[in-house]
Amino acid sequence: AAQVLRTCAAHGLQRAADRIQRQLGRQKWQQGRLGAAITHFAQARDHRSVGLVCDQLWAAYLESGGGGGSGDLAYGPTIDGVLAATGVRHDRLDFLSRYRDFHACYGAGDPVAAGRILLAIITAGIAPPHAVRDLLVDAIPLLEGDALVFSADDTFELLRRAEEEKRDGTGGSEMSVFSVACARNLARAFVAA
């Protein structure tokens, strides 16, 4: 395949090279080699497929117990390999990378840095819509912690995103806990100001 791709490049057959890259991406995806699949899809500029594979990585994280900080962020080396090999920029890759950074800061005992990263992920729009509720739930320990991580403006932004989730039909007891945590954080933020 590499020789065929070189021949395509030498003769300016970009569409043919893209089709080959997509086919290689599908094969790697079926084999469970998600990093290689993302790399091939990225080289074919198939952003939809890159997003689908990233969604699979996120789903695997959630199935491992994620969404509350206890999951296995096993996708890290996959994302690192893709970013190093291709340098491709894609919202879902950025989301997974930044989310891992959030967990690294939180695990290192730096809730303020973790909060800044989490807020940036939520407000930048790089998180897929189906992940926003999990991100808001991840904010609860930061809202309830000893340190004042989120300002009043930050907390209002989190509440705004939570309202969007409620309008979209996503709610439940976790979002009720989130709302109470935001109310407490607002009280602390107003007293500190």
mmCIF file of all heavy atoms in Angstrom, residues 149-179:
data_model
loop_
_atom_site.group_PDB
_atom_site.id
_atom_site.type_symbol
_atom_site.label_atom_id
_atom_site.label_comp_id
_atom_site.label_asym_id
_atom_site.label_seq_id
_atom_site.Cartn_x
_atom_site.Cartn_y
_atom_site.Cartn_z
ATOM 1 N N VAL A 149 -12.260 27.100 42.805
ATOM 2 C CA VAL A 149 -11.728 26.835 41.469
ATOM 3 C C VAL A 149 -12.418 27.692 40.417
ATOM 4 O O VAL A 149 -11.775 28.215 39.509
ATOM 5 C CB VAL A 149 -11.877 25.331 41.132
ATOM 6 C CG1 VAL A 149 -11.477 25.037 39.699
ATOM 7 C CG2 VAL A 149 -11.061 24.489 42.102
ATOM 8 N N PHE A 150 -13.724 27.839 40.524
ATOM 9 C CA PHE A 150 -14.505 28.550 39.516
ATOM 10 C C PHE A 150 -15.023 29.867 40.079
ATOM 11 O O PHE A 150 -15.605 29.902 41.164
ATOM 12 C CB PHE A 150 -15.691 27.699 39.046
ATOM 13 C CG PHE A 150 -15.298 26.406 38.401
ATOM 14 C CD1 PHE A 150 -15.562 25.190 39.017
ATOM 15 C CD2 PHE A 150 -14.666 26.394 37.166
ATOM 16 C CE1 PHE A 150 -15.208 23.992 38.423
ATOM 17 C CE2 PHE A 150 -14.307 25.205 36.559
ATOM 18 C CZ PHE A 150 -14.574 23.996 37.185
ATOM 19 N N SER A 151 -14.830 30.943 39.325
ATOM 20 C CA SER A 151 -15.379 32.243 39.709
ATOM 21 C C SER A 151 -16.891 32.220 39.511
ATOM 22 O O SER A 151 -17.450 31.260 38.967
ATOM 23 C CB SER A 151 -14.764 33.342 38.835
ATOM 24 O OG SER A 151 -15.234 33.201 37.496
ATOM 25 N N ALA A 152 -17.541 33.300 39.891
ATOM 26 C CA ALA A 152 -18.988 33.395 39.683
ATOM 27 C C ALA A 152 -19.312 33.339 38.187
ATOM 28 O O ALA A 152 -20.234 32.631 37.769
ATOM 29 C CB ALA A 152 -19.531 34.676 40.301
ATOM 30 N N ASP A 153 -18.533 34.048 37.367
ATOM 31 C CA ASP A 153 -18.771 34.021 35.914
ATOM 32 C C ASP A 153 -18.588 32.611 35.353
ATOM 33 O O ASP A 153 -19.371 32.167 34.509
ATOM 34 C CB ASP A 153 -17.840 34.993 35.194
ATOM 35 C CG ASP A 153 -18.202 36.449 35.443
ATOM 36 O OD1 ASP A 153 -19.361 36.718 35.835
ATOM 37 O OD2 ASP A 153 -17.336 37.313 35.231
ATOM 38 N N ASP A 154 -17.537 31.929 35.816
ATOM 39 C CA ASP A 154 -17.304 30.550 35.372
ATOM 40 C C ASP A 154 -18.481 29.656 35.753
ATOM 41 O O ASP A 154 -18.930 28.826 34.954
ATOM 42 C CB ASP A 154 -16.032 29.978 36.003
ATOM 43 C CG ASP A 154 -14.771 30.704 35.593
ATOM 44 O OD1 ASP A 154 -14.781 31.410 34.564
ATOM 45 O OD2 ASP A 154 -13.764 30.558 36.316
ATOM 46 N N THR A 155 -18.965 29.826 36.968
ATOM 47 C CA THR A 155 -20.064 28.999 37.457
ATOM 48 C C THR A 155 -21.336 29.266 36.666
ATOM 49 O O THR A 155 -22.062 28.327 36.320
ATOM 50 C CB THR A 155 -20.301 29.245 38.960
ATOM 51 O OG1 THR A 155 -19.060 29.071 39.652
ATOM 52 C CG2 THR A 155 -21.319 28.276 39.515
ATOM 53 N N PHE A 156 -21.577 30.531 36.337
ATOM 54 C CA PHE A 156 -22.747 30.843 35.511
ATOM 55 C C PHE A 156 -22.625 30.196 34.129
ATOM 56 O O PHE A 156 -23.618 29.731 33.567
ATOM 57 C CB PHE A 156 -22.953 32.353 35.387
ATOM 58 C CG PHE A 156 -23.584 32.971 36.599
ATOM 59 C CD1 PHE A 156 -22.963 34.013 37.267
ATOM 60 C CD2 PHE A 156 -24.811 32.516 37.080
ATOM 61 C CE1 PHE A 156 -23.539 34.586 38.387
ATOM 62 C CE2 PHE A 156 -25.391 33.085 38.202
ATOM 63 C CZ PHE A 156 -24.755 34.117 38.854
ATOM 64 N N GLU A 157 -21.421 30.164 33.588
ATOM 65 C CA GLU A 157 -21.215 29.501 32.289
ATOM 66 C C GLU A 157 -21.495 28.006 32.396
ATOM 67 O O GLU A 157 -22.132 27.408 31.515
ATOM 68 C CB GLU A 157 -19.792 29.749 31.787
ATOM 69 C CG GLU A 157 -19.491 29.109 30.452
ATOM 70 C CD GLU A 157 -20.358 29.626 29.311
ATOM 71 O OE1 GLU A 157 -20.871 30.753 29.375
ATOM 72 O OE2 GLU A 157 -20.518 28.875 28.322
ATOM 73 N N LEU A 158 -21.036 27.379 33.476
ATOM 74 C CA LEU A 158 -21.326 25.960 33.687
ATOM 75 C C LEU A 158 -22.833 25.728 33.815
ATOM 76 O O LEU A 158 -23.375 24.765 33.249
ATOM 77 C CB LEU A 158 -20.599 25.442 34.931
ATOM 78 C CG LEU A 158 -19.079 25.374 34.847
ATOM 79 C CD1 LEU A 158 -18.487 25.048 36.213
ATOM 80 C CD2 LEU A 158 -18.643 24.353 33.811
ATOM 81 N N LEU A 159 -23.502 26.602 34.542
ATOM 82 C CA LEU A 159 -24.959 26.486 34.691
ATOM 83 C C LEU A 159 -25.677 26.663 33.354
ATOM 84 O O LEU A 159 -26.661 25.970 33.067
ATOM 85 C CB LEU A 159 -25.478 27.498 35.708
ATOM 86 C CG LEU A 159 -25.225 27.148 37.176
ATOM 87 C CD1 LEU A 159 -25.474 28.355 38.064
ATOM 88 C CD2 LEU A 159 -26.094 25.975 37.596
ATOM 89 N N ARG A 160 -25.175 27.579 32.531
ATOM 90 C CA ARG A 160 -25.771 27.782 31.209
ATOM 91 C C ARG A 160 -25.673 26.510 30.381
ATOM 92 O O ARG A 160 -26.636 26.081 29.749
ATOM 93 C CB ARG A 160 -25.087 28.944 30.485
ATOM 94 C CG ARG A 160 -25.728 29.288 29.142
ATOM 95 C CD ARG A 160 -24.925 30.336 28.388
ATOM 96 N NE ARG A 160 -23.640 29.839 27.941
ATOM 97 C CZ ARG A 160 -23.459 29.013 26.904
ATOM 98 N NH1 ARG A 160 -24.480 28.570 26.232
ATOM 99 N NH2 ARG A 160 -22.245 28.630 26.562
ATOM 100 N N ARG A 161 -24.515 25.875 30.418
ATOM 101 C CA ARG A 161 -24.341 24.618 29.669
ATOM 102 C C ARG A 161 -25.231 23.521 30.239
ATOM 103 O O ARG A 161 -25.776 22.694 29.503
ATOM 104 C CB ARG A 161 -22.874 24.176 29.684
ATOM 105 C CG ARG A 161 -21.955 25.074 28.910
ATOM 106 C CD ARG A 161 -22.367 25.275 27.451
ATOM 107 N NE ARG A 161 -22.529 24.065 26.703
ATOM 108 C CZ ARG A 161 -21.654 23.565 25.847
ATOM 109 N NH1 ARG A 161 -20.549 24.215 25.608
ATOM 110 N NH2 ARG A 161 -21.880 22.439 25.224
ATOM 111 N N ALA A 162 -25.403 23.512 31.558
ATOM 112 C CA ALA A 162 -26.283 22.518 32.183
ATOM 113 C C ALA A 162 -27.726 22.732 31.741
ATOM 114 O O ALA A 162 -28.456 21.753 31.504
ATOM 115 C CB ALA A 162 -26.167 22.589 33.704
ATOM 116 N N GLU A 163 -28.132 23.982 31.620
ATOM 117 C CA GLU A 163 -29.485 24.278 31.143
ATOM 118 C C GLU A 163 -29.681 23.792 29.715
ATOM 119 O O GLU A 163 -30.734 23.271 29.366
ATOM 120 C CB GLU A 163 -29.785 25.778 31.242
ATOM 121 C CG GLU A 163 -30.077 26.240 32.640
ATOM 122 C CD GLU A 163 -31.279 25.536 33.254
ATOM 123 O OE1 GLU A 163 -32.327 25.403 32.582
ATOM 124 O OE2 GLU A 163 -31.170 25.106 34.414
ATOM 125 N N GLU A 164 -28.653 23.957 28.881
ATOM 126 C CA GLU A 164 -28.727 23.443 27.507
ATOM 127 C C GLU A 164 -28.909 21.927 27.516
ATOM 128 O O GLU A 164 -29.668 21.381 26.715
ATOM 129 C CB GLU A 164 -27.468 23.807 26.728
ATOM 130 C CG GLU A 164 -27.347 25.273 26.398
ATOM 131 C CD GLU A 164 -26.014 25.623 25.761
ATOM 132 O OE1 GLU A 164 -25.194 24.711 25.496
ATOM 133 O OE2 GLU A 164 -25.778 26.824 25.519
ATOM 134 N N GLU A 165 -28.213 21.267 28.425
ATOM 135 C CA GLU A 165 -28.341 19.805 28.531
ATOM 136 C C GLU A 165 -29.751 19.416 28.959
ATOM 137 O O GLU A 165 -30.318 18.457 28.440
ATOM 138 C CB GLU A 165 -27.320 19.249 29.536
ATOM 139 C CG GLU A 165 -25.903 19.273 29.031
ATOM 140 C CD GLU A 165 -25.717 18.429 27.794
ATOM 141 O OE1 GLU A 165 -25.977 17.213 27.851
ATOM 142 O OE2 GLU A 165 -25.319 18.978 26.764
ATOM 143 N N LYS A 166 -30.312 20.164 29.883
ATOM 144 C CA LYS A 166 -31.679 19.868 30.338
ATOM 145 C C LYS A 166 -32.674 20.058 29.209
ATOM 146 O O LYS A 166 -33.601 19.274 29.055
ATOM 147 C CB LYS A 166 -32.053 20.755 31.535
ATOM 148 C CG LYS A 166 -31.358 20.356 32.810
ATOM 149 C CD LYS A 166 -31.747 21.283 33.945
ATOM 150 C CE LYS A 166 -30.920 20.989 35.183
ATOM 151 N NZ LYS A 166 -31.175 21.959 36.247
ATOM 152 N N ARG A 167 -32.474 21.117 28.408
ATOM 153 C CA ARG A 167 -33.362 21.348 27.270
ATOM 154 C C ARG A 167 -33.270 20.220 26.255
ATOM 155 O O ARG A 167 -34.229 19.906 25.571
ATOM 156 C CB ARG A 167 -33.014 22.666 26.583
ATOM 157 C CG ARG A 167 -33.866 23.806 27.077
ATOM 158 C CD ARG A 167 -33.617 25.069 26.298
ATOM 159 N NE ARG A 167 -32.670 25.844 27.095
ATOM 160 C CZ ARG A 167 -31.544 26.363 26.647
ATOM 161 N NH1 ARG A 167 -31.216 26.251 25.397
ATOM 162 N NH2 ARG A 167 -30.747 27.037 27.440
ATOM 163 N N ASP A 168 -32.086 19.631 26.147
ATOM 164 C CA ASP A 168 -31.886 18.527 25.207
ATOM 165 C C ASP A 168 -32.375 17.197 25.763
ATOM 166 O O ASP A 168 -32.209 16.156 25.130
ATOM 167 C CB ASP A 168 -30.404 18.403 24.827
ATOM 168 C CG ASP A 168 -29.926 19.607 24.023
ATOM 169 O OD1 ASP A 168 -30.780 20.317 23.451
ATOM 170 O OD2 ASP A 168 -28.708 19.839 23.981
ATOM 171 N N GLY A 169 -32.928 17.230 26.976
ATOM 172 C CA GLY A 169 -33.493 16.014 27.562
ATOM 173 C C GLY A 169 -32.542 15.221 28.424
ATOM 174 O O GLY A 169 -32.861 14.141 28.872
ATOM 175 N N THR A 170 -31.348 15.747 28.656
ATOM 176 C CA THR A 170 -30.395 15.053 29.505
ATOM 177 C C THR A 170 -30.478 15.662 30.899
ATOM 178 O O THR A 170 -30.334 16.861 31.064
ATOM 179 C CB THR A 170 -28.952 15.217 28.976
ATOM 180 O OG1 THR A 170 -28.942 14.795 27.623
ATOM 181 C CG2 THR A 170 -27.978 14.403 29.770
ATOM 182 N N GLY A 171 -30.709 14.861 31.872
ATOM 183 C CA GLY A 171 -30.818 15.380 33.238
ATOM 184 C C GLY A 171 -30.461 14.285 34.213
ATOM 185 O O GLY A 171 -29.467 13.617 34.072
ATOM 186 N N GLY A 172 -31.309 14.125 35.195
ATOM 187 C CA GLY A 172 -31.100 13.067 36.166
ATOM 188 C C GLY A 172 -30.552 13.598 37.467
ATOM 189 O O GLY A 172 -30.334 14.793 37.658
ATOM 190 N N SER A 173 -30.319 12.663 38.360
ATOM 191 C CA SER A 173 -29.893 13.025 39.709
ATOM 192 C C SER A 173 -28.508 13.667 39.714
ATOM 193 O O SER A 173 -28.240 14.546 40.544
ATOM 194 C CB SER A 173 -29.915 11.798 40.615
ATOM 195 O OG SER A 173 -28.994 10.829 40.152
ATOM 196 N N GLU A 174 -27.630 13.247 38.800
ATOM 197 C CA GLU A 174 -26.300 13.850 38.768
ATOM 198 C C GLU A 174 -26.368 15.338 38.452
ATOM 199 O O GLU A 174 -25.623 16.140 39.004
ATOM 200 C CB GLU A 174 -25.417 13.142 37.738
ATOM 201 C CG GLU A 174 -25.036 11.740 38.124
ATOM 202 C CD GLU A 174 -24.287 11.026 37.018
ATOM 203 O OE1 GLU A 174 -24.593 11.261 35.831
ATOM 204 O OE2 GLU A 174 -23.403 10.233 37.349
ATOM 205 N N MET A 175 -27.290 15.700 37.574
ATOM 206 C CA MET A 175 -27.423 17.121 37.234
ATOM 207 C C MET A 175 -28.041 17.909 38.380
ATOM 208 O O MET A 175 -27.744 19.090 38.542
ATOM 209 C CB MET A 175 -28.231 17.287 35.945
ATOM 210 C CG MET A 175 -27.525 16.711 34.712
ATOM 211 S SD MET A 175 -25.803 17.234 34.513
ATOM 212 C CE MET A 175 -26.018 18.922 34.062
ATOM 213 N N SER A 176 -28.860 17.257 39.195
ATOM 214 C CA SER A 176 -29.389 17.924 40.389
ATOM 215 C C SER A 176 -28.257 18.198 41.373
ATOM 216 O O SER A 176 -28.172 19.290 41.951
ATOM 217 C CB SER A 176 -30.468 17.069 41.052
ATOM 218 O OG SER A 176 -31.561 16.905 40.195
ATOM 219 N N VAL A 177 -27.395 17.226 41.562
ATOM 220 C CA VAL A 177 -26.228 17.407 42.439
ATOM 221 C C VAL A 177 -25.343 18.515 41.873
ATOM 222 O O VAL A 177 -24.821 19.356 42.615
ATOM 223 C CB VAL A 177 -25.447 16.077 42.593
ATOM 224 C CG1 VAL A 177 -24.127 16.290 43.309
ATOM 225 C CG2 VAL A 177 -26.296 15.038 43.303
ATOM 226 N N PHE A 178 -25.186 18.531 40.565
ATOM 227 C CA PHE A 178 -24.388 19.565 39.914
ATOM 228 C C PHE A 178 -24.962 20.953 40.207
ATOM 229 O O PHE A 178 -24.222 21.882 40.548
ATOM 230 C CB PHE A 178 -24.335 19.315 38.396
ATOM 231 C CG PHE A 178 -23.695 20.425 37.632
ATOM 232 C CD1 PHE A 178 -22.317 20.538 37.560
ATOM 233 C CD2 PHE A 178 -24.467 21.374 36.982
ATOM 234 C CE1 PHE A 178 -21.726 21.577 36.864
ATOM 235 C CE2 PHE A 178 -23.891 22.419 36.289
ATOM 236 C CZ PHE A 178 -22.511 22.513 36.222
ATOM 237 N N SER A 179 -26.272 21.102 40.093
ATOM 238 C CA SER A 179 -26.913 22.403 40.346
ATOM 239 C C SER A 179 -26.708 22.866 41.778
ATOM 240 O O SER A 179 -26.425 24.044 42.029
ATOM 241 C CB SER A 179 -28.408 22.325 40.026
ATOM 242 O OG SER A 179 -28.594 22.064 38.657
#
